[in-house]
Amino acid sequence: MGVGDSHPVHLHLLDLPLDLQMAILDFIPLQDLPQLSRSCSQVNELVGTFLEHKVTVKMLTCWDSFNTTNTGLLTEMEQLVAHIRKKEDIVTRLDMYRLVHVRPVRLGQAVRVKCGEQRISGNYRMGWSHPDFVNFGWDEKLGRKVVKLDKVRWLQLAYTWPRVEVGRYQVEVRMRLEKNFTWPHTKDQPTVWTVKSQGEEGEENSVVEVDREWWKHIWKKREVPVGGLVVEKEAVYKWVRVVFPLVEVVREGAVTVGVKDTKCTLWKGGLSFDFSELRRVA
């Protein structure tokens, strides 16, 4: 039979070796797996096997360590799997979905601090917070207080981890734009995000300035342009993570994260801050 007479071979996912099936499922977004699992009973079983394969001993160990270190500062999704400490605690497939979603291995060496413990200035005259405008309000879904900036003219938030070991770190701030969000800035009035760390020749500063368009993209739920900061959106709960470039700590010492907005003196507000996170990556 000649080449022209050959027929194409159609392979189904289930015809492939198991290791290839697992590799393919790794490329499918987690939120799409439930829909895939409804295609047939065999694929449903395969998705279950994939999730069991993802929930490793390392994942559970990292999750237990993170959970213990950051009790009281879990996100809404993390709280749903806070009861899981060992494999026997996983009762349903939904537990597996949620646990894989929060990426415990990534969180393993993360230390969080609530913004209520940070230095906050929501200033309107001389640089001190005013109780009418800076509130430590209760968030019902989180079950804890968060910083709520309803109406301020100047803003400065900072926190310092005093003794950070040598290594590479990721710094994040969790915030949310509320329904009353107002940002009346001009193009030349940026917000300044900074991370200070210990370099070879003393303190090093990583500074990223963002303009009103950056805020507008978050407010309108658009894709934020790639720049010095990465914005990770939590679609269900409307919080976003502001992720800084990796920080290299070459000498043990303090690491400080901060956000400052003082160029625009018009009233701004409608912002909530939950926590800052320092996570070792190497």
Side-chain angles (χ1 to χ4, degrees):
M1 184 179 290
V3 175
D5 299 324
S6 62
H7 297 285
V9 177
H10 297 286
L11 281 177
H12 190 277
L13 173 66
L14 298 173
D15 296 327
L16 300 172
L18 183 60
D19 58 340
L20 287 180
Q21 293 173 351
M22 296 293 103
I24 291 171
L25 291 185
D26 245 337
F27 284 96
I28 299 176
L30 189 64
Q31 64 267 26
D32 293 336
L33 288 180
Q35 185 175 352
L36 176 65
S37 67
R38 289 194 288 271
S39 59
C40 72
S41 59
Q42 288 176 293
V43 172
N44 180 53
E45 185 178 342
L46 176 63
V47 171
T49 302
F50 172 74
L51 290 171
E52 290 174 2
H53 176 74
K54 297 291 285 185
V55 180
T56 62
V57 173
K58 181 180 179 181
M59 174 185 283
L60 290 168
T61 301
C62 290
W63 174 242
D64 183 58
S65 173
F66 169 80
N67 208 346
T68 301
T69 304
N70 297 282
T71 299
L73 285 176
L74 302 183
T75 66
E76 296 90 339
M77 182 63 73
E78 291 164 356
Q79 290 179 23
L80 295 175
V81 289
H83 65 285
I84 298 175
R85 296 303 179 106
K86 53 186 184 301
K87 206 144 193 175
E88 292 73 20
D89 296 330
I90 300 175
V91 179
T92 66
R93 181 177 291 188
L94 186 56
D95 284 339
M96 287 192 285
Y97 274 121
R98 288 169 172 167
L99 188 60
V100 173
H101 175 79
V102 300
R103 297 180 287 176
V105 175
R106 170 180 176 270
L107 292 172
Q109 297 192 59
V111 178
R112 291 176 179 170
V113 59
K114 60 184 178 181
C115 289
E117 293 178 351
Q118 303 181 31
R119 297 193 300 275
I120 307 288
S121 297
N123 309 324
Y124 80 114
R125 282 186 186 170
M126 299 299 292
W128 299 103
S129 60
H130 192 286
D132 292 341
F133 307 126
V134 181
N135 303 308
F136 297 96
W138 185 262
D139 188 283
E140 290 292 340
K141 292 182 179 178
L142 284 172
R144 62 175 175 264
K145 289 183 178 181
V146 299
V147 171
K148 292 182 178 291
L149 300 178
D150 292 327
K151 190 178 180 184
V152 297
R153 284 190 174 175
W154 294 277
L155 164 66
Q156 185 168 358
L157 179 153
Y159 180 79
T160 299
W161 288 273
R163 284 185 290 275
V164 178
E165 296 178 351
V166 174
R168 299 181 74 199
Y169 293 85
Q170 191 84 73
V171 179
E172 303 180 8
V173 175
R174 191 178 195 235
M175 70 175 188
R176 182 174 63 200
L177 277 57
E178 305 293 355
K179 291 180 180 179
N180 63 330
F181 175 73
T182 305
W183 212 253
H185 295 51
T186 60
K187 287 186 177 181
D188 60 344
Q189 295 174 328
T191 306
V192 182
W193 297 80
T194 59
V195 172
K196 299 178 182 179
S197 60
Q198 302 304 308
E200 292 182 356
E201 299 180 0
E203 189 175 78
E204 292 186 354
N205 292 340
S206 174
V207 180
V208 181
E209 294 187 347
V210 297
D211 60 14
R212 65 181 182 181
E213 291 301 312
W214 184 85
W215 290 99
K216 188 183 294 185
H217 275 74
I218 298 175
W219 171 242
K220 294 189 174 182
K221 299 179 176 61
R222 297 173 181 166
E223 195 67 31
V224 178
V226 176
L229 299 172
V230 175
V231 177
E232 296 182 354
K233 300 176 182 178
E234 300 177 21
V236 178
Y237 301 105
K238 299 181 181 179
W239 291 92
V240 299
R241 305 280 193 97
V242 180
V243 184
F244 288 82
L246 286 176
V247 175
E248 190 86 34
V249 177
V250 299
R251 293 187 300 111
E252 181 176 313
V255 172
T256 300
V257 58
V259 55
K260 183 178 180 180
D261 194 285
T262 57
K263 293 289 181 68
C264 176
T265 59
L266 298 175
W267 293 108
K268 71 200 80 169
L271 277 174
S272 293
F273 291 91
D274 185 16
F275 58 71
S276 296
E277 178 181 299
L278 179 72
R279 175 169 48 87
R280 185 166 186 167
V281 296

